Amino acid sequence: MSTDVTREFAFGLPKAELHLHLEGTLEPDLKLALARKNGVDIGQATVEEVQATYRFNDLTSFLAVYYPAMDVLQDEDDFYALAAAYFRRARANGVVRAECFFDPQAHTSRGIEIDTVIRGYHRAVVEARETGLSADLILCFLRDMSAESALETLQSALPYKHMFIGVGLDSDERDNPPTKFARVFELAREAGLHVTMHCDIDQVGSINNIRAALTELGAQRLDHGTNIVEDPSLVAYARDHGIGLTSCPLSNSFVTKEMKGKEIIELTAAGVKVSINSDDPAYFGGYVGDNYLALAQRFDLGRADLERIARNSIDIAWIPDEQKKAMHARIDSFVAQH
């Protein structure tokens, strides 16, 4: 390994995190504390026992661990505590802009009111902004639930539209193409919301889902999405239309040992704005700084490579140009000092 990237550089480099599930930041210690607070029997009594349950080998087995863990989130303070803990870690990872996914259906389906979820998370967003971290929320629909459920969720959330900036699509992609939610995304765009969609790696029909997301449904970003390399015309489309990709090397490594690193490098070289993110860091073993460092070490990337990725993340963030300019200046200053 000859990379000149140090841990200090990978973590300190100013960056945007654009693919982060707040529910995926539920660390074992917080899960255990919330279980005790709310009287929820999770079947574990120590942090080590909770950590031992964070085991999986594919998307399906991951989701089987991921969703039941959310039972400990009961009131507005719980959602606030979860997001606030993430924002503290984000700052330590050089994050200057965070656009965070949340899954209201995972909570409303177990009897939690949607305003409890949104208000709790938004409290933490406001607090983060007060400390100088630019932050916003993205409401995601669970694609393995019905389109009718997604529509109901959107309608219930619109009174709180000032508390989130966009909508996304996540969960199990099998037999749940983005076109299933065409009407929901149309209504979201009409409401002035940004649109992104998960197109997970190496799924059946990945390239068809990517094509539909980009050319039919108005996706402004693709989450994961590196299977786009299978169709050079779509790579060119993404480049020419400024479509960003939010890739997550450490979570990718649970599907492929190469982390999709080769695709990330190829797409970046082709002019596609690929960013690096942490996905569900409590479960995949690292926050965004860890992802930058892991990619650099595995593929011998240098500081200039990571700088380009960080600039990509700022470029595809959903913020005004003046904020982007200021964040690029922070990158300039950091790089000059290192």
Side-chain angles (χ1 to χ4, degrees), residues 80-81 83-85 87-88 91 120-133 135:
Y80 160 79
F87 289 131
R88 289 192 293 271
R91 285 190 290 271
Y121 283 150
H122 189 256
R123 274 174 53 199
V125 165
V126 171
E127 181 179 86
R129 292 171 182 167
E130 291 172 348
T131 66
L133 174 60

Side-chain angles (χ1 to χ4, degrees), residues 35 52 56 79 87 107 132 143 178 190 203 206 214 217 278 296 319:
F56 39 85
F79 291 98
F87 289 131
H107 311 296
R143 66 199 310 158
E190 289 176 358
Q203 300 293 300
S206 283
L214 291 182
L217 302 179
S278 64
I319 51 177

Side-chain angles (χ1 to χ4, degrees), residues 109-128:
S109 62
R110 55 189 181 86
I112 308 298
E113 297 294 330
I114 195 168
D115 68 316
T116 298
V117 180
I118 297 176
R119 290 183 186 279
Y121 283 150
H122 189 256
R123 274 174 53 199
V125 165
V126 171
E127 181 179 86

Side-chain angles (χ1 to χ4, degrees), residues 89-321:
R89 292 187 176 94
R91 285 190 290 271
N93 279 254
V95 175
V96 296
R97 170 64 179 173
E99 297 178 7
C100 306
F101 299 135
F102 70 104
D103 293 327
Q105 288 159 290
H107 311 296
T108 56
S109 62
R110 55 189 181 86
I112 308 298
E113 297 294 330
I114 195 168
D115 68 316
T116 298
V117 180
I118 297 176
R119 290 183 186 279
Y121 283 150
H122 189 256
R123 274 174 53 199
V125 165
V126 171
E127 181 179 86
R129 292 171 182 167
E130 291 172 348
T131 66
L133 174 60
S134 175
D136 273 299
L137 299 172
I138 299 171
L139 183 156
C140 284
F141 307 115
L142 299 183
R143 66 199 310 158
D144 43 6
M145 296 183 72
S146 68
E148 291 75 19
S149 175
L151 179 59
E152 180 182 344
T153 298
L154 177 63
Q155 292 170 334
S156 298
L158 283 177
Y160 308 96
K161 191 178 71 168
H162 59 290
M163 296 184 182
F164 62 99
I165 61 168
V167 295
L169 182 66
D170 60 15
S171 201
D172 197 340
E173 192 166 337
R174 294 175 304 170
D175 301 318
N176 294 301
T179 49
K180 172 180 172 182
F181 302 93
R183 179 58 179 158
V184 181
F185 283 113
E186 180 184 7
L187 292 174
R189 291 196 308 273
E190 289 176 358
L193 294 165
H194 293 287
V195 172
T196 186
M197 299 175 198
H198 275 53
C199 292
D200 290 321
I201 64 170
D202 298 346
Q203 300 293 300
V204 174
S206 283
I207 196 64
N208 294 327
N209 290 345
I210 290 170
R211 182 178 296 107
L214 291 182
T215 64
E216 298 178 38
L217 302 179
Q220 297 165 282
R221 291 200 301 249
L222 294 178
D223 303 309
H224 299 299
T226 45
N227 283 80
I228 197 172
V229 297
E230 297 169 16
D231 187 336
S233 69
L234 289 178
V235 172
Y237 183 96
R239 180 196 63 223
D240 296 343
H241 289 80
I243 305 295
L245 271 61
T246 66
S247 192
C248 309
L250 288 180
S251 67
N252 288 348
S253 70
F254 281 75
V255 179
T256 169
K257 64 180 181 179
E258 296 297 325
M259 303 180 183
K260 290 296 179 180
K262 294 179 180 178
E263 289 84 349
I264 292 168
I265 293 167
E266 176 185 338
L267 289 164
T268 302
V272 177
K273 292 187 180 296
V274 183
S275 66
I276 296 302
N277 311 270
S278 64
D279 205 354
D280 300 283
Y283 295 88
F284 293 122
Y287 286 78
V288 66
D290 298 295
N291 277 266
Y292 270 69
L293 186 60
L295 187 69
Q297 292 177 339
R298 176 66 183 82
F299 291 93
D300 198 26
L301 300 184
R303 296 185 181 197
D305 298 309
L306 294 196
E307 178 189 345
R308 183 176 183 181
I309 290 170
R311 292 190 186 279
N312 284 347
S313 72
I314 301 301
D315 288 341
I316 63 174
W318 292 334
I319 51 177
D321 288 343

